[in-house]
Amino acid sequence: MHHTESLCALLRDSRSISVLTGAGVSAESGVPTFRGKEGLWSKFKPEELANLQAFMANPELVWEWYEYRRRIIDQVQPNPGHYALAQWEKEAGSFHLITQNVDGLHQRAGSGKVIELHGNILHNRCLRCGNTSQSREVHFEGKVPGCSCGGMLRPDVVWFGETLPEKAIEEAFAAAETADLFLSVGTSAIVYPAASLPQVAKSSGAVLIEINVEHTALTPIADHFLQGPSGEILPVLFEKWRTVRIG
Ligand code: APR
């Protein structure tokens, strides 16, 4: 990755960094992305698995699919991209990490504050009383897991057609509006409202850097497009930030 003079100057002068991540940041860990040839949506129908109507129609099928994804996540590890962001958070004055991912790998890499826009697949929520639990004890073994109130449990993720957690979306937009450097990493940037965050940051004066293995809908407005795997680019970019800051 060739560091242009301006990229180094941007890193040196950044005071408030915000990052939006998508499925691509976990791809090198072995978590499938959603779109693209090997993406989950090329094998499974989101309309049958990732919305409330589908869950009400066939909760066993939906739980089976989420249990399959939970098992994948249990077997993988964070990659150098996750670790670089966790370290960056520790060393930067102002650093906000916003993720669309539900895999919890940022937290497992040591990120302290993660704004989870689409929930967390390892958590459960009761359809009746709304209680959420982070218990990994809840497993789907053919019978839909129940809440102590008698209600059905569902994975605590945001399904298509559902609104995002209010606190998370507020924090995410505030992080976008106050950033002077915004990184968009491993997202196709087509699912809203998350996909509007890089644009909000740019129109609020931030410099926008995109990291992706391929061009996306966002690339035309990015100030810098760093093409390649985020597990390789993020550690290098973070080291560059460290170096230019101490001058
Ligand atoms: N490094 C960087 N980028 C990568 C890598 C990698 N190793 N591997 C894949 N990518 C890029 C792909 O090129 C693609 O642009 O990551 C992006 C993944 O895009 P999607 O699969 O669409 O995932 P995402 O943008 O996170 O999806 C948004 O859609 O299905 C819903 O709720 C789900 O949170 C998800 C949302």
Side-chain angles (χ1 to χ4, degrees):
M1 182 176 71
H2 169 59
H3 292 128
T4 61
E5 187 39 47
S6 64
L7 184 57
C8 293
L10 290 171
L11 291 172
R12 185 194 56 232
D13 303 342
S14 62
R15 292 289 170 273
S16 170
I17 302 171
S18 293
V19 182
L20 173 69
T21 65
V25 84
S26 295
E28 291 148 86
S29 294
V31 180
T33 62
F34 293 92
R35 295 165 191 84
K37 274 199 311 316
E38 297 304 311
L40 286 169
W41 299 147
S42 68
K43 299 188 186 90
F44 303 99
K45 296 194 177 64
E47 63 278 8
E48 282 176 13
L49 295 164
N51 65 70
L52 187 57
Q53 295 70 30
F55 182 75
M56 300 313 285
N58 191 343
E60 289 80 11
L61 176 70
V62 173
W63 259 110
E64 196 176 337
W65 188 61
Y66 277 90
E67 194 65 27
Y68 151 77
R69 290 176 59 198
R70 284 181 170 188
R71 275 200 297 276
I72 292 173
I73 290 163
D74 284 346
Q75 286 151 17
V76 303
Q77 298 302 324
N79 65 60
H82 295 108
Y83 288 112
L85 292 172
Q87 196 55 35
W88 209 335
E89 177 192 37
K90 291 186 177 61
E91 298 185 16
S94 164
F95 187 95
H96 294 91
L97 178 55
I98 310 156
T99 191
Q100 298 168 85
N101 299 347
V102 295
D103 57 30
L105 290 180
H106 285 302
Q107 293 91 329
R108 280 169 57 190
S111 286
K113 176 96 180 69
V114 182
I115 301 170
E116 293 182 307
L117 290 177
H118 296 162
N120 187 309
I121 199 172
L122 305 175
H123 301 169
N124 314 296
R125 177 154 43 95
C126 175
L127 269 181
R128 183 188 291 172
C129 70
N131 266 0
T132 58
S133 69
Q134 306 191 357
S135 138
R136 278 308 284 114
E137 300 319 305
V138 171
H139 287 287
F140 173 71
E141 280 137 359
K143 188 173 164 308
V144 171
C147 171
S148 52
C149 78
M152 265 201 301
L153 290 180
R154 55 167 282 177
D156 191 16
V157 296
V158 177
W159 282 329
F160 289 104
E162 294 188 322
T163 53
L164 277 59
E166 212 173 313
K167 187 163 166 292
I169 202 72
E170 272 169 24
E171 288 177 352
F173 276 89
E177 286 152 6
T178 54
D180 56 20
L181 181 59
F182 193 95
L183 306 183
S184 178
V185 186
T187 180
S188 53
I190 55 171
V191 175
Y192 286 77
S196 64
L197 291 166
Q199 293 148 19
V200 167
K202 184 140 174 120
S203 52
S204 310
V207 170
L208 177 58
I209 297 179
E210 183 185 26
I211 299 172
N212 199 303
V213 289
E214 62 189 27
H215 285 217
T216 71
L218 196 65
T219 311
I221 69 159
D223 298 293
H224 288 270
F225 174 62
L226 308 179
Q227 185 155 20
S230 54
E232 293 172 18
I233 291 182
L234 282 170
V236 173
L237 195 66
F238 169 56
E239 280 311 322
K240 193 70 206 168
W241 172 83
R242 255 190 178 158
T243 317
V244 294
R245 288 186 64 77
I246 47 187

